[in-house]
Amino acid sequence: MHILVIGAAGMVGRKLAQRLTRDGELQGRQITAMTLADVVAADAPDGFDGRVTIEAVDLSEPASAERLIASRPDVIFHLAAIVSGEAELDFEKGYKINLDGTRYLFEAIRLARMADGYCPRVVFTSSIAVVGAPLPYPIPDEFHTTPLTSYGTQKAICELLLSDYSRKGYFDGIGIRLPTICIRPGKPNKAASGFFSNILREPLVGQEAILPVGEDVRHWHASPRSAVGFLIHGANIDLETVGPRRNLSMPGLSATVGEQIEALRRVAGEKAVKLIRHEPDEMIMRICAGWAPGFEANRARALGFIAESSFDEIIRVHIEDELGGKL
Amino acid sequence: MHILVIGAAGMVGRKLAQRLTRDGELQGRQITAMTLADVVAADAPDGFDGRVTIEAVDLSEPASAERLIASRPDVIFHLAAIVSGEAELDFEKGYKINLDGTRYLFEAIRLARMADGYCPRVVFTSSIAVVGAPLPYPIPDEFHTTPLTSYGTQKAICELLLSDYSRKGYFDGIGIRLPTICIRPGKPNKAASGFFSNILREPLVGQEAILPVGEDVRHWHASPRSAVGFLIHGANIDLETVGPRRNLSMPGLSATVGEQIEALRRVAGEKAVKLIRHEPDEMIMRICAGWAPGFEANRARALGFIAESSFDEIIRVHIEDELGGKL
């Protein structure tokens, strides 16, 4: 079993490589090789016994995809993308990387399929940004994709391509619409959605965090551990049970900011909660108003995808995975 | 007012040019020039007083779009596409013309927008093929696009691009999801959906027609005259009232084949109905089962798009427009 991870230097990509290393197998077969690709050189996961190939490639170069699949990996996790904010600021770059890059990959696989019958599993990370306001709550599985960002548009287009290439038998694809990842490890960043993680992660280590929106803001979350779990399950699942609608809204936890804060109080006490500074930001409040409050995700749940069921659990996952298990 | 019609040699394109000629104006302004583009040279409409430019171009050539918009037409009707069956048989050609061709057009307009502020109205013809079975009846406006053909995939992708380019202010776009056009004038063709028109058009002129499916098959129809009306209304409508969701399922008439035949009996008598030969075709029946039975089209109706309300009316439109008003 040879696995290719594209976007392996990102947060989810790194955690995925670690998980694959720990599991040692995928689809019931031993993992003997991993190719870790990203625009910068990714780190090899600690403790992996098989062959690791590190590829620093730009997927928006037409030749990159052919090079990545030359060794015919059995499973391809495609996580590479430029983020929402950057795709919105740089229209051409967003389409070049998030749309053309993905299309080059799909085309390279199709041509290999025609040439020698190659037919890998392709697990594609999509996003809840494929939907756009006004949104019902919860959002049904059959709700249309009317994104309000170029990033969301690019993800929605790649979902359509993935389904069509899969329907034609060029590869076995599945699209995983990730919730917002919370608690995102690392430093606070400038993403408009960063505060959902900041207000938990920083207080848990005694640091202040800024909350720019009201406590009634409702959003859709899953832990990094769940996100990796979705991808692994997407690689293992029998696609006959999925049928032709290959893009699935993943399960997650719908919670208000107030509910996040209550969970923080239960897990880490009043002292932690006091580190959250309320500094309303009109622009972030306006952006937030268009975000998904939560999905039904009935299909994905029925197919065995599992997420956290409380914010206490999301916080505990962070403490276990990022803080060595203790506060 | 200068109008560009791309796909002007097709059935709807020709009728559109005739209607524009008859109206003499669009958006309340006199039509002084028309550019009629297609992969073959289109005919100039009879009786048009303004300047007509005939362009035989292949939109899948990257330079074609720039040439077509060089004279900065105020309104662009984009109807060009290869049809469903051909896009299914030739995967590369379908994506090249139906997706890349449209993207070249949108990109050429965007670059012109950046260069000199050009911002035309773009009326794009989409299709009910953007949805795929299993389908509810009626299909709500907010139903997701899960096409089961490459053609439907390409149309759904172009819808997403149209919305994103419009949202960014690169042009004023609107996507018109056409019902199946009935009665399609001309000769019987090999399209799987051809029988919906054949069983009316042929008997109306004393010819036999073959019905390959059962009379309980329900589908979604509008006349060629209504299709042209949708496009004109799409060019005239105030897009502020449409909002960011720019792709609209058009109104139409949901009818079973049996209801079509009853209307034929009322309009043309038993003699006409007797010319329909029942020859069940397993393959066509199977394809049919995945087609849209009908849409709510609430948004489009509220925005003033109008279709026929009975099959008698659809047949009478055909008699008026194609048979000189009499049987």
Side-chain angles (χ1 to χ4, degrees), chain A residues 226-303:
Chain A
S226 285
V228 169
F230 299 151
L231 298 174
I232 298 282
H233 190 57
N236 282 326
I237 199 168
D238 176 1
L239 288 173
E240 289 294 315
T241 65
V242 178
R245 294 180 178 172
R246 290 296 174 88
N247 299 287
L248 297 166
S249 294
M250 287 295 110
L253 180 67
S254 176
T256 63
V257 168
E259 288 163 2
Q260 288 189 268
I261 294 172
E262 285 314 303
L264 178 66
R265 180 174 283 118
R266 284 190 294 271
V267 176
E270 190 60 32
K271 203 177 62 174
V273 171
K274 283 209 183 316
L275 289 165
I276 301 172
R277 255 186 22 227
H278 294 249
E279 285 187 14
D281 181 319
E282 287 292 334
M283 197 186 78
I284 293 182
M285 280 190 274
R286 208 168 43 244
I287 296 175
C288 252
W291 288 345
F295 289 75
E296 281 184 352
N298 289 337
R299 280 192 71 213
R301 286 185 220 275
L303 288 163

Side-chain angles (χ1 to χ4, degrees), chain A residues 92 95 103 110 150 164, chain B residues 92 95 100 103 110 150 164:
Chain A
E92 290 183 13
Y95 276 91
R103 203 167 158 209
R110 183 179 69 86
S150 292
D164 201 39
Chain B
E92 290 184 12
Y95 276 92
D100 293 333
R103 201 167 159 209
R110 183 179 70 85
S150 292
D164 201 38

Side-chain angles (χ1 to χ4, degrees), chain A residues 88 91-92 95 100 103 110 132 134 141-144 146 148-150 153 160-161 164 167-168 245, chain B residues 88 91-92 95 100 103 110 132 134 141-144 146 148-150 153 160-161 164 167-168 245:
Chain A
E88 198 59 25
F91 188 85
E92 290 183 13
Y95 276 91
D100 294 332
R103 203 167 158 209
R110 183 179 69 86
D141 281 332
E142 301 191 336
F143 197 72
H144 59 172
T146 57
L148 293 174
T149 59
S150 292
T153 302
L160 285 160
L161 292 171
D164 201 39
R167 187 184 62 82
K168 296 287 277 188
R245 294 180 178 172
Chain B
E88 199 58 26
F91 188 85
E92 290 184 12
Y95 276 92
D100 293 333
R103 201 167 159 209
R110 183 179 70 85
D141 282 332
E142 302 192 334
F143 197 72
H144 59 172
T146 56
L148 292 175
T149 59
S150 292
T153 303
L160 285 160
L161 292 172
D164 201 38
R167 186 184 63 81
K168 296 287 277 189
R245 293 179 179 172

